[in-house]
Amino acid sequence: MKFVDEVTVTVRSGAGGAGAVSFRREANVPKGGPDGGDGGRGGDVVFEADPSKTTLLDLQYQQTYRAADGERGRGNEMAGRSAEALVVRVPVGTLIRDPEDGAVLADLDAPGMRWVAARGGRGGKGNAHFKSARRQAPRFAQPGEPGEERRLRLELRLLADVGLVGFPNAGKSTLISAISTARPKVADYPFTTLVPHLGVVRVGDRTFVAADIPGLIEGAAEGAGLGLRFLKHVERCRLLLHLIDLAEPSAERCLARFDALNAELAKFDPALAAKPQIAVPTKLDVTEAQANLPAVRAALEARGYEVVPISAATRQGLDALLGAVARRLFAAEEAREARRRASGERVTWQP
């Protein structure tokens, strides 16, 4: 399936039904009073986060969504039927913005979350509402309110616990293939990965979600390569695995590329560069890697990084890496839960 993570759509809610102008007409009631019913409410347009959706592809093909109008009122004080809401299902992690100023209108980051994008118009009142001592036979009723229309920009930002970042050919796709059931395309040329891939990784009886973010290059924060399109997918990750290709001509080159990528993250959003990182030197099965590893490890550990070298191709170091990730992720979860229990906080979730 084609991966689409940005789309602009137009939504329009339904108009309210008009109120009815009607008078009682019965054999034994020669001068029946007004009995026009109210119009029904127009349908809302609602976005809902659906875990079964993984792309905004459907919205690219259909970019206009219009809810039904409410029914007109009828005689005998019968109200028109209100229209049902039009529910537009989008992937969990969809951000909805105003296309003019970029303001965030909704962040559907949990399954089942809903946001009303356009509210249906109210139905008009029938002429039965306008009877009075001076006006016993009103021959008018209210029209229904029009619906709302607006344009919206939708952005999908993947929900993952761990983000794999690194320059092209650092081994991200090979790693996510080795630790999960994800099967991205793997080849030895830049930008093999053109879309992010999610993989569920099991460690003991617990799991986490890892995202293979397409390769970044210098200038990514300004839009070079695939940068701006995919940097946003890193924003929701709790932990970054920064893959470093050890098969470079020198250790200095490895470290320079490590620093360059962190600089790109900081340019895009300083909070990205501040996220916890595990440095993951890759390709230990390559001869050059063995020569570069000692200097790279020493330099990164001196800066305070946890360093876990691996070879995804031979699975060397993968158990150590998964153990390090699990300690970081699950220890934080357990600490939060302990604080919650100690404070007596009762946590509920509502869409």
Side-chain angles (χ1 to χ4, degrees):
M1 178 183 291
K2 183 179 179 182
F3 182 78
V4 176
D5 58 357
E6 287 190 12
V7 67
T8 299
V9 299
T10 299
V11 297
R12 183 173 181 180
S13 58
V21 176
S22 175
F23 297 90
R24 293 178 63 187
R25 293 291 182 266
E26 299 177 27
N28 298 322
V29 186
K31 296 183 179 181
D35 67 351
D38 299 343
R41 187 180 184 90
D44 298 337
V45 179
V46 180
F47 287 92
E48 179 178 320
D50 184 346
S52 68
K53 299 286 186 181
T54 58
T55 174
L56 296 174
L57 179 63
D58 292 345
L59 279 74
Q60 188 178 60
Y61 291 132
Q62 181 183 343
Q63 297 185 359
T64 301
Y65 294 85
R66 179 170 179 170
D69 296 337
E71 289 186 350
R72 299 176 62 90
R74 288 173 284 179
N76 201 24
E77 298 190 14
M78 294 180 63
R81 181 178 300 173
S82 294
E84 294 185 359
L86 173 62
V87 179
V88 183
R89 291 179 170 80
V90 296
V92 178
T94 297
L95 204 64
I96 303 176
R97 294 183 182 272
D98 184 314
E100 300 300 324
D101 60 15
V104 176
L105 304 174
D107 186 359
L108 305 182
D109 62 355
M113 280 189 70
R114 285 187 160 207
W115 178 67
V116 180
R119 295 192 178 278
R122 290 180 298 182
K125 292 181 179 180
N127 69 336
H129 285 276
F130 302 104
K131 179 181 178 181
S132 67
R134 297 182 59 186
R135 186 168 52 206
Q136 297 186 3
R139 297 184 177 277
F140 62 88
Q142 282 184 335
E145 289 184 346
E148 300 175 344
E149 181 172 337
R150 65 196 306 187
R151 285 175 61 78
L152 301 167
R153 188 171 83 241
L154 278 62
E155 299 177 3
L156 174 57
R157 300 194 175 187
L158 296 179
L159 292 177
D161 301 298
V162 177
L164 278 58
V165 298
F167 281 112
N169 290 343
K172 298 182 301 300
S173 296
T174 305
L175 176 57
I176 202 168
S177 296
I179 63 177
S180 75
T181 56
R183 291 294 176 265
K185 183 178 180 182
V186 178
D188 188 20
Y189 54 87
F191 303 129
T192 302
T193 302
L194 297 178
V195 301
H197 291 94
L198 291 178
V200 178
V201 184
R202 180 173 295 278
V203 182
D205 60 349
R206 307 185 72 164
T207 60
F208 64 86
V209 177
D212 166 21
I213 308 300
L216 306 174
I217 63 174
E218 293 185 54
E222 285 79 36
L226 305 175
L228 283 178
R229 183 175 177 194
F230 295 121
L231 271 170
K232 63 189 177 187
H233 292 299
V234 187
E235 290 184 317
R236 297 185 190 268
C237 298
R238 296 158 52 196
L239 174 66
L240 300 182
L241 300 186
H242 191 148
L243 275 63
I244 308 158
D245 185 356
L246 284 178
E248 293 284 352
S250 67
E252 290 75 16
R253 172 68 173 166
C254 296
L255 293 169
R257 288 172 72 78
F258 177 85
D259 292 336
L261 183 55
N262 275 338
E264 293 302 328
L265 296 178
K267 286 179 189 176
F268 182 77
D269 184 351
L272 286 186
K275 283 183 179 290
Q277 288 189 20
I278 296 177
V280 185
T282 63
K283 303 185 182 179
L284 284 181
D285 51 307
V286 178
T287 304
E288 295 88 340
Q290 299 294 336
N292 290 332
L293 177 60
V296 171
R297 183 201 288 270
L300 293 177
E301 288 180 344
R303 301 184 195 180
Y305 289 101
E306 182 175 6
V307 181
V308 185
I310 66 164
S311 167
T314 64
R315 303 192 65 84
Q316 181 181 354
L318 291 190
D319 289 342
L321 177 60
L322 294 180
V325 171
R327 284 193 301 274
R328 294 284 193 99
L329 292 181
F330 304 146
E333 290 178 2
E334 290 164 2
R336 282 196 300 270
E337 184 61 30
R339 288 195 298 270
R340 200 174 287 146
R341 287 195 298 267
S343 65
E345 178 185 356
R346 188 176 178 188
V347 179
T348 59
W349 176 82
Q350 293 181 344

Short mmCIF file of all heavy atoms in Angstrom, two decimals, residues 5-70:
data_model
loop_
_atom_site.label_atom_id
_atom_site.label_comp_id
_atom_site.label_asym_id
_atom_site.label_seq_id
_atom_site.Cartn_x
_atom_site.Cartn_y
_atom_site.Cartn_z
N ASP A 5 1.42 10.60 4.03
CA ASP A 5 1.39 11.13 5.39
C ASP A 5 0.99 12.61 5.47
O ASP A 5 1.02 13.19 6.54
CB ASP A 5 2.74 10.92 6.09
CG ASP A 5 3.89 11.57 5.34
OD1 ASP A 5 3.66 12.13 4.25
OD2 ASP A 5 5.03 11.51 5.84
N GLU A 6 0.60 13.21 4.34
CA GLU A 6 0.09 14.58 4.34
C GLU A 6 -0.99 14.72 3.28
O GLU A 6 -0.84 14.22 2.17
CB GLU A 6 1.21 15.59 4.05
CG GLU A 6 2.18 15.79 5.19
CD GLU A 6 3.12 16.97 4.93
OE1 GLU A 6 2.84 17.75 3.99
OE2 GLU A 6 4.11 17.11 5.65
N VAL A 7 -2.06 15.41 3.64
CA VAL A 7 -3.13 15.64 2.67
C VAL A 7 -3.97 16.82 3.16
O VAL A 7 -4.09 17.05 4.37
CB VAL A 7 -4.01 14.38 2.49
CG1 VAL A 7 -4.79 14.06 3.75
CG2 VAL A 7 -4.96 14.53 1.31
N THR A 8 -4.53 17.59 2.23
CA THR A 8 -5.43 18.68 2.56
C THR A 8 -6.83 18.33 2.08
O THR A 8 -7.00 17.89 0.93
CB THR A 8 -4.97 20.00 1.92
OG1 THR A 8 -3.66 20.33 2.41
CG2 THR A 8 -5.92 21.15 2.27
N VAL A 9 -7.81 18.48 2.96
CA VAL A 9 -9.18 18.10 2.61
C VAL A 9 -10.13 19.26 2.91
O VAL A 9 -9.81 20.18 3.66
CB VAL A 9 -9.65 16.85 3.40
CG1 VAL A 9 -8.77 15.65 3.09
CG2 VAL A 9 -9.67 17.13 4.91
N THR A 10 -11.30 19.18 2.31
CA THR A 10 -12.37 20.13 2.58
C THR A 10 -13.52 19.37 3.23
O THR A 10 -13.92 18.31 2.74
CB THR A 10 -12.87 20.79 1.29
OG1 THR A 10 -11.79 21.51 0.68
CG2 THR A 10 -14.01 21.76 1.57
N VAL A 11 -14.04 19.90 4.34
CA VAL A 11 -15.18 19.26 5.01
C VAL A 11 -16.34 20.25 5.08
O VAL A 11 -16.13 21.46 5.21
CB VAL A 11 -14.80 18.79 6.43
CG1 VAL A 11 -13.72 17.73 6.37
CG2 VAL A 11 -14.36 19.94 7.33
N ARG A 12 -17.53 19.72 4.99
CA ARG A 12 -18.73 20.55 5.09
C ARG A 12 -19.79 19.79 5.84
O ARG A 12 -20.16 18.68 5.44
CB ARG A 12 -19.24 20.96 3.71
CG ARG A 12 -20.44 21.89 3.80
CD ARG A 12 -20.87 22.43 2.45
NE ARG A 12 -22.00 23.34 2.59
CZ ARG A 12 -22.59 23.96 1.58
NH1 ARG A 12 -22.13 23.79 0.35
NH2 ARG A 12 -23.62 24.76 1.78
N SER A 13 -20.28 20.38 6.91
CA SER A 13 -21.34 19.74 7.68
C SER A 13 -22.68 19.97 7.00
O SER A 13 -22.82 20.83 6.12
CB SER A 13 -21.36 20.29 9.11
OG SER A 13 -21.55 21.69 9.11
N GLY A 14 -23.67 19.22 7.42
CA GLY A 14 -24.99 19.34 6.83
C GLY A 14 -25.76 20.55 7.32
O GLY A 14 -25.58 21.01 8.46
N ALA A 15 -26.61 21.08 6.47
CA ALA A 15 -27.48 22.20 6.86
C ALA A 15 -28.66 21.66 7.65
O ALA A 15 -29.11 20.52 7.46
CB ALA A 15 -27.97 22.94 5.62
N GLY A 16 -29.18 22.49 8.54
CA GLY A 16 -30.38 22.10 9.27
C GLY A 16 -31.61 22.14 8.38
O GLY A 16 -31.69 22.95 7.44
N GLY A 17 -32.56 21.26 8.65
CA GLY A 17 -33.80 21.27 7.86
C GLY A 17 -34.68 22.44 8.22
O GLY A 17 -34.65 22.95 9.35
N ALA A 18 -35.45 22.91 7.28
CA ALA A 18 -36.35 24.04 7.52
C ALA A 18 -37.55 23.60 8.35
O ALA A 18 -38.02 22.46 8.26
CB ALA A 18 -36.82 24.62 6.18
N GLY A 19 -38.02 24.52 9.16
CA GLY A 19 -39.27 24.25 9.88
C GLY A 19 -40.46 24.27 8.93
O GLY A 19 -40.42 24.89 7.87
N ALA A 20 -41.53 23.59 9.33
CA ALA A 20 -42.70 23.46 8.44
C ALA A 20 -43.75 24.53 8.76
O ALA A 20 -43.92 24.94 9.90
CB ALA A 20 -43.31 22.08 8.59
N VAL A 21 -44.42 24.95 7.71
CA VAL A 21 -45.61 25.80 7.85
C VAL A 21 -46.80 24.90 7.58
O VAL A 21 -47.00 24.42 6.45
CB VAL A 21 -45.58 26.98 6.87
CG1 VAL A 21 -46.88 27.79 6.98
CG2 VAL A 21 -44.38 27.87 7.13
N SER A 22 -47.59 24.64 8.61
CA SER A 22 -48.69 23.70 8.47
C SER A 22 -49.80 24.05 9.47
O SER A 22 -49.53 24.64 10.53
CB SER A 22 -48.20 22.27 8.72
OG SER A 22 -49.26 21.35 8.71
N PHE A 23 -51.07 23.70 9.12
CA PHE A 23 -52.21 23.95 10.00
C PHE A 23 -53.03 22.67 10.12
O PHE A 23 -53.10 21.88 9.17
CB PHE A 23 -53.08 25.09 9.44
CG PHE A 23 -52.35 26.40 9.36
CD1 PHE A 23 -51.64 26.75 8.21
CD2 PHE A 23 -52.33 27.27 10.45
CE1 PHE A 23 -50.97 27.96 8.12
CE2 PHE A 23 -51.65 28.46 10.36
CZ PHE A 23 -50.96 28.82 9.21
N ARG A 24 -53.59 22.50 11.26
CA ARG A 24 -54.42 21.31 11.48
C ARG A 24 -55.59 21.33 10.52
O ARG A 24 -56.27 22.34 10.35
CB ARG A 24 -54.92 21.27 12.91
CG ARG A 24 -53.82 21.05 13.94
CD ARG A 24 -54.37 21.07 15.34
NE ARG A 24 -55.30 19.98 15.56
CZ ARG A 24 -56.04 19.85 16.67
NH1 ARG A 24 -55.95 20.76 17.63
NH2 ARG A 24 -56.87 18.84 16.80
N ARG A 25 -55.85 20.19 9.91
CA ARG A 25 -56.98 20.05 8.99
C ARG A 25 -57.72 18.78 9.35
O ARG A 25 -57.39 17.68 8.90
CB ARG A 25 -56.50 19.99 7.53
CG ARG A 25 -55.88 21.30 7.03
CD ARG A 25 -56.96 22.38 6.89
NE ARG A 25 -56.39 23.63 6.37
CZ ARG A 25 -55.97 24.63 7.10
NH1 ARG A 25 -56.02 24.52 8.44
NH2 ARG A 25 -55.51 25.73 6.56
N GLU A 26 -58.71 18.94 10.23
CA GLU A 26 -59.50 17.79 10.66
C GLU A 26 -60.98 18.11 10.48
O GLU A 26 -61.39 19.27 10.53
CB GLU A 26 -59.21 17.46 12.13
CG GLU A 26 -57.75 17.11 12.40
CD GLU A 26 -57.49 16.88 13.87
OE1 GLU A 26 -58.44 16.48 14.58
OE2 GLU A 26 -56.35 17.09 14.32
N ALA A 27 -61.77 17.06 10.33
CA ALA A 27 -63.20 17.25 10.05
C ALA A 27 -63.91 18.05 11.13
O ALA A 27 -64.75 18.90 10.85
CB ALA A 27 -63.88 15.89 9.88
N ASN A 28 -63.59 17.80 12.36
CA ASN A 28 -64.29 18.45 13.46
C ASN A 28 -63.54 19.66 14.02
O ASN A 28 -63.89 20.17 15.08
CB ASN A 28 -64.56 17.45 14.59
CG ASN A 28 -65.43 16.30 14.13
OD1 ASN A 28 -66.37 16.50 13.35
ND2 ASN A 28 -65.14 15.10 14.61
N VAL A 29 -62.47 20.06 13.34
CA VAL A 29 -61.71 21.23 13.79
C VAL A 29 -61.61 22.19 12.61
O VAL A 29 -60.64 22.18 11.85
CB VAL A 29 -60.29 20.82 14.26
CG1 VAL A 29 -59.58 22.04 14.87
CG2 VAL A 29 -60.36 19.69 15.27
N PRO A 30 -62.67 23.03 12.42
CA PRO A 30 -62.71 23.89 11.23
C PRO A 30 -61.61 24.94 11.21
O PRO A 30 -61.21 25.39 10.15
CB PRO A 30 -64.09 24.54 11.31
CG PRO A 30 -64.45 24.48 12.76
CD PRO A 30 -63.86 23.20 13.27
N LYS A 31 -61.15 25.39 12.34
CA LYS A 31 -60.11 26.42 12.39
C LYS A 31 -58.91 25.89 13.19
O LYS A 31 -58.60 26.41 14.26
CB LYS A 31 -60.64 27.71 12.99
CG LYS A 31 -61.74 28.35 12.14
CD LYS A 31 -62.19 29.67 12.74
CE LYS A 31 -63.28 30.32 11.87
NZ LYS A 31 -63.71 31.61 12.43
N GLY A 32 -58.29 24.86 12.67
CA GLY A 32 -57.14 24.28 13.37
C GLY A 32 -55.97 25.24 13.41
O GLY A 32 -55.76 26.02 12.48
N GLY A 33 -55.23 25.18 14.48
CA GLY A 33 -54.10 26.08 14.64
C GLY A 33 -52.86 25.57 13.92
O GLY A 33 -52.87 24.51 13.28
N PRO A 34 -51.77 26.31 14.02
CA PRO A 34 -50.51 25.90 13.36
C PRO A 34 -49.93 24.65 14.00
O PRO A 34 -49.92 24.52 15.22
CB PRO A 34 -49.61 27.12 13.57
CG PRO A 34 -50.13 27.79 14.80
CD PRO A 34 -51.62 27.58 14.78
N ASP A 35 -49.44 23.75 13.17
CA ASP A 35 -48.84 22.51 13.71
C ASP A 35 -47.58 22.11 12.95
O ASP A 35 -47.24 20.94 12.83
CB ASP A 35 -49.85 21.37 13.71
CG ASP A 35 -50.25 20.92 12.31
OD1 ASP A 35 -49.85 21.60 11.33
OD2 ASP A 35 -50.92 19.89 12.18
N GLY A 36 -46.88 23.12 12.44
CA GLY A 36 -45.65 22.82 11.70
C GLY A 36 -44.53 22.36 12.62
O GLY A 36 -44.25 23.01 13.64
N GLY A 37 -43.89 21.26 12.28
CA GLY A 37 -42.80 20.70 13.10
C GLY A 37 -41.46 21.34 12.78
O GLY A 37 -41.27 22.03 11.78
N ASP A 38 -40.48 21.08 13.66
CA ASP A 38 -39.14 21.64 13.50
C ASP A 38 -38.33 20.81 12.50
O ASP A 38 -38.54 19.60 12.34
CB ASP A 38 -38.40 21.64 14.83
CG ASP A 38 -39.09 22.49 15.87
OD1 ASP A 38 -39.94 23.32 15.49
OD2 ASP A 38 -38.79 22.31 17.07
N GLY A 39 -37.38 21.48 11.88
CA GLY A 39 -36.46 20.77 11.00
C GLY A 39 -35.40 20.00 11.79
O GLY A 39 -35.08 20.34 12.94
N GLY A 40 -34.84 18.98 11.19
CA GLY A 40 -33.80 18.18 11.84
C GLY A 40 -32.43 18.84 11.74
O GLY A 40 -32.19 19.68 10.87
N ARG A 41 -31.54 18.46 12.63
CA ARG A 41 -30.19 19.02 12.64
C ARG A 41 -29.35 18.39 11.53
O ARG A 41 -29.48 17.20 11.22
CB ARG A 41 -29.53 18.76 13.99
CG ARG A 41 -28.18 19.44 14.15
CD ARG A 41 -27.56 19.16 15.51
NE ARG A 41 -26.32 19.90 15.65
CZ ARG A 41 -26.23 21.12 16.15
NH1 ARG A 41 -27.32 21.75 16.57
NH2 ARG A 41 -25.06 21.74 16.23
N GLY A 42 -28.48 19.20 10.93
CA GLY A 42 -27.57 18.67 9.92
C GLY A 42 -26.49 17.79 10.54
O GLY A 42 -26.18 17.91 11.74
N GLY A 43 -25.89 16.94 9.75
CA GLY A 43 -24.88 16.02 10.26
C GLY A 43 -23.54 16.70 10.50
O GLY A 43 -23.14 17.60 9.75
N ASP A 44 -22.84 16.28 11.55
CA ASP A 44 -21.48 16.75 11.81
C ASP A 44 -20.50 15.99 10.93
O ASP A 44 -20.79 14.89 10.44
CB ASP A 44 -21.09 16.50 13.28
CG ASP A 44 -21.96 17.24 14.28
OD1 ASP A 44 -22.56 18.26 13.89
OD2 ASP A 44 -22.03 16.79 15.43
N VAL A 45 -19.31 16.56 10.74
CA VAL A 45 -18.19 15.83 10.14
C VAL A 45 -17.20 15.58 11.27
O VAL A 45 -16.73 16.51 11.93
CB VAL A 45 -17.51 16.63 9.01
CG1 VAL A 45 -16.34 15.83 8.44
CG2 VAL A 45 -18.52 16.93 7.91
N VAL A 46 -16.91 14.30 11.51
CA VAL A 46 -16.10 13.90 12.66
C VAL A 46 -14.91 13.07 12.18
O VAL A 46 -15.06 12.16 11.36
CB VAL A 46 -16.94 13.05 13.65
CG1 VAL A 46 -16.11 12.62 14.84
CG2 VAL A 46 -18.17 13.83 14.10
N PHE A 47 -13.72 13.39 12.69
CA PHE A 47 -12.54 12.57 12.42
C PHE A 47 -12.32 11.63 13.62
O PHE A 47 -12.42 12.05 14.77
CB PHE A 47 -11.30 13.44 12.23
CG PHE A 47 -11.29 14.16 10.91
CD1 PHE A 47 -11.80 15.44 10.78
CD2 PHE A 47 -10.75 13.55 9.78
CE1 PHE A 47 -11.80 16.09 9.58
CE2 PHE A 47 -10.75 14.20 8.55
CZ PHE A 47 -11.28 15.47 8.45
N GLU A 48 -12.03 10.38 13.31
CA GLU A 48 -11.84 9.37 14.35
C GLU A 48 -10.54 8.60 14.10
O GLU A 48 -10.27 8.18 12.97
CB GLU A 48 -13.01 8.39 14.39
CG GLU A 48 -12.85 7.30 15.45
CD GLU A 48 -14.05 6.37 15.51
OE1 GLU A 48 -15.20 6.85 15.38
OE2 GLU A 48 -13.84 5.15 15.65
N ALA A 49 -9.75 8.42 15.17
CA ALA A 49 -8.50 7.67 15.06
C ALA A 49 -8.80 6.17 15.04
O ALA A 49 -9.36 5.64 15.99
CB ALA A 49 -7.58 8.01 16.23
N ASP A 50 -8.40 5.52 13.95
CA ASP A 50 -8.70 4.10 13.73
C ASP A 50 -7.39 3.31 13.68
O ASP A 50 -6.58 3.53 12.77
CB ASP A 50 -9.47 3.96 12.42
CG ASP A 50 -9.92 2.53 12.15
OD1 ASP A 50 -9.43 1.60 12.82
OD2 ASP A 50 -10.75 2.34 11.25
N PRO A 51 -7.16 2.40 14.62
CA PRO A 51 -5.91 1.64 14.63
C PRO A 51 -5.67 0.79 13.38
O PRO A 51 -4.53 0.42 13.09
CB PRO A 51 -6.05 0.73 15.87
CG PRO A 51 -7.11 1.36 16.70
CD PRO A 51 -8.04 2.04 15.75
N SER A 52 -6.73 0.48 12.64
CA SER A 52 -6.56 -0.34 11.45
C SER A 52 -6.04 0.46 10.26
O SER A 52 -5.64 -0.11 9.24
CB SER A 52 -7.88 -1.01 11.07
OG SER A 52 -8.83 -0.05 10.61
N LYS A 53 -6.01 1.78 10.37
CA LYS A 53 -5.51 2.63 9.29
C LYS A 53 -4.04 2.93 9.49
O LYS A 53 -3.59 3.20 10.60
CB LYS A 53 -6.28 3.96 9.25
CG LYS A 53 -7.78 3.82 9.01
CD LYS A 53 -8.08 3.47 7.57
CE LYS A 53 -9.56 3.47 7.29
NZ LYS A 53 -9.87 3.11 5.89
N THR A 54 -3.27 2.89 8.41
CA THR A 54 -1.83 3.14 8.50
C THR A 54 -1.35 4.24 7.55
O THR A 54 -0.17 4.58 7.55
CB THR A 54 -1.04 1.85 8.19
OG1 THR A 54 -1.41 1.39 6.88
CG2 THR A 54 -1.34 0.77 9.22
N THR A 55 -2.24 4.79 6.77
CA THR A 55 -1.86 5.80 5.77
C THR A 55 -3.06 6.71 5.51
O THR A 55 -4.21 6.33 5.76
CB THR A 55 -1.40 5.13 4.46
OG1 THR A 55 -1.18 6.13 3.46
CG2 THR A 55 -2.43 4.15 3.96
N LEU A 56 -2.77 7.91 4.99
CA LEU A 56 -3.83 8.85 4.61
C LEU A 56 -4.20 8.71 3.12
O LEU A 56 -4.76 9.62 2.54
CB LEU A 56 -3.38 10.28 4.90
CG LEU A 56 -3.13 10.62 6.37
CD1 LEU A 56 -2.54 12.02 6.51
CD2 LEU A 56 -4.42 10.52 7.18
N LEU A 57 -3.87 7.56 2.55
CA LEU A 57 -4.07 7.35 1.12
C LEU A 57 -5.52 7.57 0.71
O LEU A 57 -5.79 8.20 -0.32
CB LEU A 57 -3.63 5.93 0.74
CG LEU A 57 -3.79 5.53 -0.72
CD1 LEU A 57 -2.92 6.42 -1.61
CD2 LEU A 57 -3.44 4.06 -0.92
N ASP A 58 -6.47 7.04 1.48
CA ASP A 58 -7.89 7.19 1.10
C ASP A 58 -8.28 8.65 0.99
O ASP A 58 -9.05 9.04 0.11
CB ASP A 58 -8.78 6.50 2.14
CG ASP A 58 -8.62 4.98 2.13
OD1 ASP A 58 -8.07 4.46 1.14
OD2 ASP A 58 -9.05 4.33 3.09
N LEU A 59 -7.74 9.48 1.86
CA LEU A 59 -8.10 10.90 1.85
C LEU A 59 -7.44 11.63 0.69
O LEU A 59 -7.91 12.70 0.28
CB LEU A 59 -7.71 11.55 3.17
CG LEU A 59 -8.69 11.35 4.33
CD1 LEU A 59 -8.58 9.92 4.87
CD2 LEU A 59 -8.45 12.33 5.44
N GLN A 60 -6.37 11.09 0.15
CA GLN A 60 -5.76 11.70 -1.03
C GLN A 60 -6.65 11.52 -2.24
O GLN A 60 -6.74 12.41 -3.10
CB GLN A 60 -4.38 11.09 -1.29
CG GLN A 60 -3.61 11.82 -2.38
CD GLN A 60 -2.23 11.23 -2.59
OE1 GLN A 60 -2.09 10.06 -2.93
NE2 GLN A 60 -1.20 12.03 -2.37
N TYR A 61 -7.34 10.39 -2.31
CA TYR A 61 -8.23 10.13 -3.45
C TYR A 61 -9.57 10.82 -3.29
O TYR A 61 -10.23 11.16 -4.27
CB TYR A 61 -8.42 8.63 -3.62
CG TYR A 61 -7.18 7.92 -4.09
CD1 TYR A 61 -6.73 6.77 -3.46
CD2 TYR A 61 -6.42 8.41 -5.15
CE1 TYR A 61 -5.57 6.11 -3.89
CE2 TYR A 61 -5.27 7.77 -5.58
CZ TYR A 61 -4.86 6.62 -4.94
OH TYR A 61 -3.72 5.98 -5.37
N GLN A 62 -10.04 10.97 -2.07
CA GLN A 62 -11.29 11.69 -1.82
C GLN A 62 -10.99 12.84 -0.88
O GLN A 62 -10.79 12.64 0.32
CB GLN A 62 -12.35 10.77 -1.19
CG GLN A 62 -13.67 11.50 -0.95
CD GLN A 62 -14.70 10.62 -0.26
OE1 GLN A 62 -14.56 9.40 -0.23
NE2 GLN A 62 -15.74 11.23 0.30
N GLN A 63 -10.99 14.06 -1.39
CA GLN A 63 -10.54 15.20 -0.60
C GLN A 63 -11.67 16.13 -0.18
O GLN A 63 -11.43 17.17 0.42
CB GLN A 63 -9.48 15.99 -1.38
CG GLN A 63 -8.22 15.17 -1.65
CD GLN A 63 -7.13 15.98 -2.30
OE1 GLN A 63 -7.29 17.16 -2.58
NE2 GLN A 63 -5.99 15.35 -2.55
N THR A 64 -12.91 15.76 -0.46
CA THR A 64 -14.06 16.54 -0.02
C THR A 64 -15.03 15.63 0.72
O THR A 64 -15.39 14.56 0.22
CB THR A 64 -14.78 17.19 -1.22
OG1 THR A 64 -13.86 18.03 -1.92
CG2 THR A 64 -15.96 18.02 -0.76
N TYR A 65 -15.44 16.06 1.90
CA TYR A 65 -16.34 15.27 2.74
C TYR A 65 -17.51 16.14 3.16
O TYR A 65 -17.32 17.20 3.78
CB TYR A 65 -15.61 14.73 3.97
CG TYR A 65 -14.53 13.74 3.60
CD1 TYR A 65 -13.27 14.17 3.25
CD2 TYR A 65 -14.80 12.37 3.54
CE1 TYR A 65 -12.28 13.27 2.86
CE2 TYR A 65 -13.83 11.46 3.16
CZ TYR A 65 -12.57 11.93 2.82
OH TYR A 65 -11.61 11.03 2.42
N ARG A 66 -18.72 15.71 2.82
CA ARG A 66 -19.92 16.50 3.11
C ARG A 66 -20.93 15.62 3.83
O ARG A 66 -21.31 14.55 3.34
CB ARG A 66 -20.51 17.06 1.83
CG ARG A 66 -21.77 17.86 2.09
CD ARG A 66 -22.25 18.62 0.88
NE ARG A 66 -23.47 19.36 1.19
CZ ARG A 66 -24.02 20.26 0.40
NH1 ARG A 66 -23.44 20.55 -0.75
NH2 ARG A 66 -25.12 20.89 0.75
N ALA A 67 -21.36 16.09 4.98
CA ALA A 67 -22.39 15.36 5.74
C ALA A 67 -23.77 15.68 5.17
O ALA A 67 -23.97 16.69 4.48
CB ALA A 67 -22.31 15.74 7.21
N ALA A 68 -24.74 14.85 5.50
CA ALA A 68 -26.09 15.01 4.99
C ALA A 68 -26.82 16.15 5.71
O ALA A 68 -26.51 16.49 6.87
CB ALA A 68 -26.87 13.71 5.15
N ASP A 69 -27.79 16.75 5.02
CA ASP A 69 -28.63 17.79 5.61
C ASP A 69 -29.72 17.16 6.48
O ASP A 69 -30.12 16.00 6.30
CB ASP A 69 -29.30 18.62 4.52
CG ASP A 69 -28.30 19.40 3.67
OD1 ASP A 69 -27.17 19.65 4.16
OD2 ASP A 69 -28.65 19.73 2.52
N GLY A 70 -30.22 17.95 7.43
CA GLY A 70 -31.36 17.50 8.22
C GLY A 70 -32.64 17.56 7.39
O GLY A 70 -32.75 18.33 6.44
#
